[in-house]
Amino acid sequence: AGTLVEDGDYVFVIYAALPSQRGELYRGGLNGPADSRVWTSIAKIGFLPVLRGFVGITQVSPTSTVVGSSPAVAGINPFTFRYTLTRDAIVSMKIFNATGNTLVKTLVNQETRAGSFTNSETWSEGTDDSGQVVSSGTYLVQLTAADAAQPAKVSTATALFPVNMFRITDVQVTPLLARTSDNVVLNYQLSQPMFVAWNVYAPGSVVVNSTGTWPPCPTQSPPSDCTSASVLSPNGSQTVPIVTFRGLRPGRFKISEFWDGRDINGLFVPDGNYVFTLTAQSTSTPKYFATDKVFGNMTVARGSIIFTQFSVLPDTPELFNSSNSITLHPFTINYALTRQSSVTVQILSTNIPPSVVRTIVSGEVRPAGLLQTDVWDGRNDLGNFPPAGFYLVRAVASDVASVLSSGATAQLTIAFDPLRIYDLAITPLRLDSGPAVLSYQVSETMKVAIKIYKSGTIFDLSGNPTPPEAQSLVKRIVGVRPARTQINDSWDGTDFKFSLLKDGSYKFKIVGSTDMAAIDDNTGDVLNPGALSLDRLIDEIPLVRNASASPNEDFINNSFNYPNPVSGESTTFQIYAPFRSVVKMKLYTMSGEIVLDKNFGEVPPSFQAGPVTYVWSKLNQSGNKVARGLYFAVIRVEETEGGKNILQTVKKVLIQ
């Protein structure tokens, strides 16, 4: 039947036979064929001992899960038990308390396991037979193995192993340091999902009984604060946490908790070494505290708030005519802070004590490490421009919602002049280039008055002309001009009666004001000197209709006739007009008798249209030929535009 027999001494008999026709009849089995055999005369008898003994068991080797590295903690589920049998056997494995008198868990009950093979059994959840998680401690694993043929012969092996399933490990604290980190960071790892409570206490607090009873809150369970009289303040009285972080955290993951250095009311705490405790309680039934005693110190060292950057940049307008730079409002205030702060930015006078001109921002929260920008538009708190001068730009930063008083201040002095007339350029009036042009810009929309004075006018330090304005003023231009764009005011070289003025350098003065009532619309007179821009420009406008530096010399040198002496039938007169003028010529005999009177009318300047030419065929006014002799040509030009110059020269003409 193939069934194993029990151990014992078994009797055996051995005899033999040969087939023979003379032998005895032998039938093999009940229905086997019959034949004749000769048998041995003596049979051999003996004993066969069967002695398997007990099933052999190698040492049971318990192993547990290891979590973390600093330090690595063991005694954590699942637990694995490895063993080897010498032959197939019926196995039971049970977990007992350390003394072996209380059954905790039956892992295997009368199950067959293979021999000559490493078997393993697993205790996964660390629970007893009723489903409750076991407490920490030392436990005994018992392995029994019996041969199926001899159930009464049971082999037993035992081993002790630790169980400590609720642990906190890999605890590491990173301090809060100025310009390095904005938070205290607590890193740790739990062996199981647990409720945690991280309490932070004031510097100098003491955790009493830290080497004995743990945790310091035996009557409380997270997620409560887990506080008790076991934590004392520096003066020995019971203290409460500054702040508590609590909640359910996962097991076997790196956990990072962050504290930004604020108390339970959200206020920043002072710098110092703060005491902390970290407790954890299982989610199981029953509940157990983690056995690790986690407490220590963590540093908060923000230091003072620091302005890592602070600058005040004025606006630099585009210039069209000048290479000299100019700075105007608005002013851009850039700054950066080492930590989140409440910031106030103000513009102050340079008086002692300074007064507030404008509050740009007041108590606004600014983040750390980012470049912040505020702008001053150049106006005071009433919306008006303050006087030109020097001002302080001051930024004050303080901790947001803090019990600290470690503020920081940064300031710069700036030059400020809100009303400017700048980028001035003068295009002179020339005959070949059109009217004179005054190009300039104004910093704000202003009413501008330009007054043009006679050539030779002088001004005192107050800008008053000599001769007086009633005698020297020749033109005025008054109007409202837009801000920060090129303005071109032109002058055609005429006076109030639109009469052309003669060539020369004409003085002009420009004033402007954002107060439209400060300058008279018609006369351009200043009605409120205190409202004027400090830029009161005085300069000259060249008025040059004549292209010649010496008109008379050019006229004389370039006016003549050819050929001279005149031997042929005619001679050509060339007359040079240095400016627009009426050109006339008269020809006289030596006795003063007029021979020819020629009026060429108004002609343009010769540098534009060329000289006047006239071919004379030696005929007098009556059309008769003149006699040989010496004649005198009187050539005259009378200016008709911008001046009253009259030029005249006499040229000799010899007729042969």
Side-chain angles (χ1 to χ4, degrees), residues 243-311:
V243 66
T244 297
F245 302 91
R246 53 183 178 265
L248 179 64
R249 301 293 186 265
R252 305 182 193 183
F253 285 96
K254 180 180 179 180
I255 299 168
S256 295
E257 307 280 3
F258 297 90
W259 178 43
D260 60 2
R262 299 175 189 265
D263 62 18
I264 195 170
N265 297 315
L267 302 178
F268 280 122
V269 299
D271 290 357
N273 283 322
Y274 288 79
V275 176
F276 76 92
T277 61
L278 178 64
T279 54
Q281 190 179 53
S282 70
T283 60
S284 62
T285 302
K287 297 183 182 297
Y288 298 102
F289 277 101
T291 57
D292 299 278
K293 301 174 182 179
V294 181
F295 63 94
N297 295 90
M298 49 194 180
T299 301
V300 174
R302 296 186 189 87
S304 299
I305 300 171
I306 298 174
F307 282 92
T308 56
Q309 295 185 53
F310 186 77
S311 63

Side-chain angles (χ1 to χ4, degrees), residues 62-69 71-81 122-127 133-137 139 161-170 189-194 251-253 290-292:
T63 58
S64 65
T65 300
V66 177
V67 174
S69 59
V73 294
I76 299 169
N77 63 305
F79 300 90
T80 302
F81 307 95
T122 301
W123 187 20
S124 298
E125 302 299 328
T127 57
V133 175
V134 301
S135 62
S136 298
Y139 288 79
F161 66 97
V163 173
N164 196 358
M165 293 190 292
F166 301 102
R167 303 295 304 274
I168 305 173
T169 187
D170 289 347
Q189 187 172 179
L190 302 174
S191 61
Q192 313 287 346
M194 287 190 271
R252 305 182 193 183
F253 285 96
T291 57
D292 299 278

Side-chain angles (χ1 to χ4, degrees), residues 483-621:
R484 305 190 190 187
T485 185
Q486 182 167 268
I487 301 164
N488 295 313
D489 285 328
S490 61
W491 176 47
D492 60 3
T494 63
D495 58 15
F496 290 117
K497 298 179 181 179
F498 299 101
S499 298
L500 293 175
L501 298 173
K502 65 179 181 179
D503 288 4
S505 292
Y506 288 78
K507 293 281 188 176
F508 71 89
K509 179 172 67 174
I510 303 178
V511 295
S513 176
T514 54
D515 181 0
M516 300 301 158
I519 297 174
D520 187 271
D521 291 333
N522 297 316
T523 64
D525 293 340
V526 176
L527 305 178
N528 181 8
L532 292 183
S533 164
L534 295 181
D535 294 307
R536 300 169 190 182
L537 306 180
I538 297 176
D539 211 327
E540 294 182 344
I541 306 175
L543 180 58
V544 185
R545 292 190 178 87
N546 301 318
S548 174
S550 179
N552 188 57
E553 184 177 345
D554 289 344
F555 165 65
I556 293 174
N557 293 337
N558 295 293
S559 297
F560 50 84
N561 71 294
Y562 61 91
N564 191 13
V566 183
S567 58
E569 294 297 321
S570 64
T571 185
T572 300
F573 285 90
Q574 173 180 295
I575 304 171
Y576 185 87
F579 35 70
R580 179 173 287 277
S581 55
V582 173
V583 178
K584 299 177 181 179
M585 184 180 71
K586 292 183 179 181
L587 199 62
Y588 295 90
T589 64
M590 291 185 64
S591 61
E593 180 183 355
I594 189 167
V595 175
L596 180 67
D597 187 355
K598 186 68 175 177
N599 188 340
F600 298 99
E602 186 176 4
V603 298
S606 294
F607 69 84
Q608 285 185 330
V612 176
T613 58
Y614 172 67
V615 179
W616 181 47
S617 300
K618 300 190 294 185
L619 300 176
N620 60 18
Q621 288 288 94

